[in-house]
Amino acid sequence: ASTDDSAPPGRDNASMSALTRPAPWALACVGALALVGAPVVTATATAGSRLGWSEVVVVGMMAALVGSAGLFLAVREAARVVGTVLLGLGVVLAVDLLLDTAVAAHDRGAATGTGWRLAASLASLEWFVTFALLVTLAFLFPDGRPARPVFARVLRLSALPYLLVVVGHVLDARPNDGDRADIPGVVGASGSAVVTSVGLAGALVVFGASVVSVVQRYRSARGPERLQVLWLAWSIGLVPVTVVACIAASALPDRAEEAVVGALFFATVAAIVGSVVVAVTRHRLYAVERLVNRTVVYVALSSLLGGAWGGLVLIGGVLGGRGSPWVTAIATLVAAAAFGPLRRRVQGVVDRR
C-alpha cells in the first residue's frame, strides 16, 4: 500500500493556480513601482520638496507592510478575496505617496496644469479610498463572502456613494487643504459640494451596515470563525486608542511629536495587518482571548494612571505654583507606586467579566 502523505492533487492544483494568478502580482508591481518612485521624486526635486523624508519613510513602510501581507494572502486560494482587498489598500497607500511627493516637489511658481491639479485632487482622496477598502474588508472578512445576502446587496450598492464622493471631489473648485490649498480643482463646477455630501452620507450608511455585519457574524459564528472576527475587532479597537495617544503627543516638541505619531500609526497598521493575517491563516488563533484581556487591562490602567498623574500635577500646581519640578516628580512617583496594585485590581475586574 502506498504511504505517500502528500496533499491531494486537486488541492495542489488549486494552490498553484492561486499562486500564478496574474492580478495580485500586477497590483504588487504597481505598488512596488510607486514605492520606488516616491523617494526618487523627493530626492531629485529641483525646487525642494514640502514633504519631509520622515513622512516618506513611514508611509512607505506602511504601504510595503500592507501590500506584502495582502500579496501573501492573495496568492492563497482560501484567502484570495481578503488578500486582494488588503493588497489594494497597500497599493493605494503607495500610489498616494507617489502623488504626494510629486505634488510636494512641484514648483508652485510654475503653471499648474491639469495633470498636477488632478494629481493633487486624487492625493487628497487617499483617506476616503482607504476608508472604502476597510469597510469592504469588514463586509468580506474572514472568508471573502458577506455574512448575509442583504449585506452582499449593500456591498454592491456601496459603489454608488463612493463614486459620488470621487466625482464631487474632482468637480470641486477647491478640493485641497493644508499645504495644497493653493492648488485649484480640475473642473470647478457648481454643485460639487452637494454631490460630495450625498456621497458621504451614503458612505456613512454603508459603514453602519458593515458594523452590523461584523456584529451579526460574530454572534452567529462558532468556534474558529468567532475567534477570527474577534481578531479583527481587537485590531480595529486600537484605532481610537491611537487617536487619543496622538492627541496627547501634541504636547511634545515638534520633532518628538512627529516621531511618536509616526510610530503609533505604524504600530496600529501593523497590528491590523497582523490580525488579518493571523485570523485568515488561523495561526495561533486562540491567542486573541489573552491579547484582548491584556489590551483592556493596560488601556484602562494607562487611562487611570494618566488621569491621576494629571490631577496631581494640576492640584500641585495650584498649591505649589505652576512649573514646579517637585510637583511633577511627586506625581510621577505616586503613579509609579500605584502601578502594581492598580494593575492587579484592574486585572481582577477584567477577569471576572
Side-chain angles (χ1 to χ4, degrees):
S2 173
T3 59
D4 185 7
D5 294 329
S6 61
R11 184 175 177 181
D12 285 344
N13 292 338
S15 300
M16 287 302 298
S17 174
L19 189 63
T20 57
R21 190 176 286 111
W25 294 103
L27 276 175
C29 288
V30 172
L33 289 173
L35 286 179
V36 171
V40 171
V41 170
T42 302
T44 57
T46 55
S49 176
R50 294 169 175 80
L51 201 65
W53 273 105
S54 59
E55 186 175 349
V56 174
V57 171
V58 171
V59 177
M61 289 174 62
M62 286 195 293
L65 175 66
V66 176
S68 299
L71 181 61
F72 171 75
L73 294 177
V75 297
R76 301 166 65 95
E77 184 61 32
R80 177 173 56 87
V81 176
V82 171
T84 302
V85 174
L86 202 61
L87 176 58
L89 178 57
V91 173
V92 166
L93 291 174
V95 172
D96 177 72
L97 178 62
L98 178 60
L99 292 174
D100 268 338
T101 54
V103 173
H106 181 58
D107 183 4
R108 299 294 171 84
T112 52
T114 303
W116 288 111
R117 287 181 286 168
L118 180 61
S121 296
L122 293 178
S124 300
L125 272 174
E126 178 261 343
W127 70 271
F128 182 75
V129 179
T130 300
F131 164 83
L133 287 173
L134 289 176
V135 169
T136 302
L137 182 65
F139 275 116
L140 299 174
F141 186 86
D143 58 1
R145 296 187 297 270
R148 294 184 180 181
V150 63
F151 295 125
R153 290 193 290 271
V154 172
L155 185 58
R156 287 193 294 269
L157 291 173
S158 66
L160 179 58
Y162 295 161
L163 181 61
L164 288 176
V165 171
V166 173
V167 170
H169 189 80
V170 172
L171 293 178
D172 195 353
R174 292 290 176 184
N176 305 301
D177 52 15
D179 64 345
R180 293 194 295 258
D182 59 323
I183 301 179
V186 179
V187 179
S190 60
S192 60
V194 176
V195 176
T196 303
S197 299
V198 172
L200 287 174
L204 288 177
V205 173
V206 174
F207 170 73
S210 72
V211 174
V212 175
S213 171
V214 171
V215 172
Q216 290 196 359
R217 191 190 290 271
Y218 178 77
R219 288 180 174 177
S220 62
R222 295 292 182 271
E225 186 180 5
R226 192 179 183 93
L227 295 176
Q228 287 177 303
V229 178
L230 191 57
W231 269 104
L232 180 66
W234 169 79
S235 63
I236 297 299
L238 294 177
V239 173
V241 177
T242 301
V243 171
V244 171
C246 290
I247 293 173
S250 61
L252 298 173
D254 289 344
R255 290 195 174 184
E257 178 189 359
E258 185 177 344
V260 170
V261 170
L264 286 171
F265 269 105
F266 183 79
T268 304
V269 170
I272 294 174
V273 171
S275 297
V276 172
V277 173
V278 168
V280 173
T281 60
R282 300 192 177 191
H283 176 70
R284 296 183 63 84
L285 199 57
Y286 288 86
V288 67
E289 295 175 335
R290 183 179 179 86
L291 191 60
V292 170
N293 181 289
R294 292 292 182 267
T295 302
V296 172
V297 169
Y298 282 102
V299 168
L301 185 62
S302 300
S303 301
L304 291 172
L305 289 176
W309 182 87
L312 289 173
V313 170
L314 181 62
I315 295 172
V318 173
L319 298 177
R322 296 182 60 183
S324 173
W326 289 104
V327 172
T328 305
I330 292 173
T332 304
L333 288 174
V334 171
F339 177 83
L342 189 58
R343 187 191 68 80
R344 288 190 292 271
R345 187 69 178 268
V346 173
Q347 184 72 66
V349 172
V350 173
D351 289 343
R352 285 195 296 273
R353 292 181 179 275

